Amino acid sequence: MGMPGVGKGTQAARLRDRAGVVHLSTGDILREAVQRGTALGTRVQGFLDSGKLVPDELIGDLIADRLGQQDAAAGFILDGFPRTVEQVVILDEALRRLRVGLDGVYLLTAPKSEIVRRLSGRRVCADCGAVYHVDSRSPRVEGKCDACGHALMQRPDDTEEVIRERLEVYNRQTLPIAEKYRERGLLHEIDGTGSPVAVFERLIGEVNLS
Ligand code: AMP
């Protein structure tokens, strides 16, 4: 969990590599659907472009289906889900059916000024989704992805106006669920400032990888 741009995707990808479990990002799944022009993509594009949340029932079906797939049987990292109180209920139900529990909920934190700086300088590979930053993580060749050579782009929802909306949505709809997980004794707060390596060291100190 954490504000948009706090580093959830970056840290989840590192954790996936370390723990050997799948990384399920609802944002990535939805962006891919938009890019491929699927029926789901057509339905959700307006929500993504404006920074609003996609309706819970669409996300619920998508996640229940994804968690039931074979590659998730050994474990999974959820990134960007759940994001509303209703989605917590949807997740509880899906986990109950699968007979698995959550090991922990990791809340990355950073000051809002840092978040705005990160989001407005963020660039992503239009093909493989690798993440860069104009100041702190520039690619070897300007405008091109180090991993696959495709063009880098700014996410359409990383513009100033949409960033403001996404932060507002986060505070109103998502932050309250951190309290729910705190009450269940699952919440770990991680300082998300500093380099990705430094944040990962803090994160890994809180995750039980046994
Ligand atoms: P993210 O990449 O996690 O910042 O997500 C980008 C956008 O995808 C969000 O602004 C929402 O429009 C949509 N989205 C991602 N995850 C969810 C979710 N769990 N519930 C509703 N909408 C979501």
Side-chain angles (χ1 to χ4, degrees):
M1 281 191 67
M3 279 189 176
V6 76
K8 299 186 296 293
T10 302
Q11 296 301 326
R14 282 174 182 263
L15 191 56
R16 168 200 62 204
D17 294 344
R18 178 72 69 94
V21 297
V22 288
H23 166 200
L24 304 179
S25 155
T26 42
D28 285 351
I29 296 171
L30 295 170
R31 273 186 294 279
E32 197 193 319
V34 171
Q35 214 172 12
R36 289 180 22 221
T38 64
L40 174 69
T42 311
R43 284 182 79 180
V44 301
Q45 180 161 21
F47 296 101
L48 268 74
D49 287 348
S50 62
K52 298 211 174 352
L53 294 183
V54 167
D56 289 327
E57 56 278 13
L58 285 182
I59 295 287
D61 289 347
L62 185 148
I63 212 81
D65 176 60
R66 190 62 190 83
L67 289 180
Q69 288 175 25
Q70 189 55 39
D71 62 353
F76 45 80
I77 301 160
L78 295 172
D79 163 12
F81 173 87
R83 243 165 153 120
T84 63
V85 173
E86 291 74 18
Q87 290 181 15
V88 171
V89 177
I90 289 170
L91 178 60
D92 285 345
E93 175 60 21
L95 295 176
R96 199 184 55 75
R97 261 184 276 122
L98 291 166
R99 297 175 196 279
V100 292
L102 291 179
D103 291 321
V105 175
Y106 304 88
L107 173 65
L108 295 176
T109 60
K112 195 172 155 195
S113 55
E114 173 68 10
I115 294 288
V116 173
R117 190 193 69 77
R118 288 188 191 178
L119 285 175
S120 48
R122 175 160 73 177
R123 299 292 179 272
V124 294
C125 174
D127 195 55
C128 76
V131 182
Y132 299 86
H133 192 279
V134 290
D135 305 325
S136 50
R137 189 161 188 267
S138 45
R140 284 192 296 273
V141 179
E142 203 190 319
K144 289 225 166 19
C145 178
D146 291 348
C148 71
H150 277 81
L152 301 185
M153 55 171 271
Q154 186 167 33
R155 271 175 48 172
D157 58 351
D158 278 347
T159 57
E160 202 181 316
E161 196 191 326
V162 184
I163 289 172
R164 214 176 309 122
E165 173 66 16
R166 289 163 65 207
L167 294 179
E168 160 74 25
V169 165
Y170 176 80
N171 284 330
R172 200 178 53 237
Q173 294 185 269
T174 305
L175 200 52
I177 76 175
E179 288 316 309
K180 299 224 165 282
Y181 286 119
R182 196 193 305 278
E183 284 162 17
R184 295 185 193 180
L186 286 172
L187 193 75
H188 301 254
E189 283 189 61
I190 317 275
D191 176 3
T193 59
S195 69
V197 173
V199 177
F200 188 63
E201 286 307 314
R202 289 177 211 131
L203 174 64
I204 211 78
E206 298 280 329
V207 178
N208 181 2
L209 284 182
S210 60

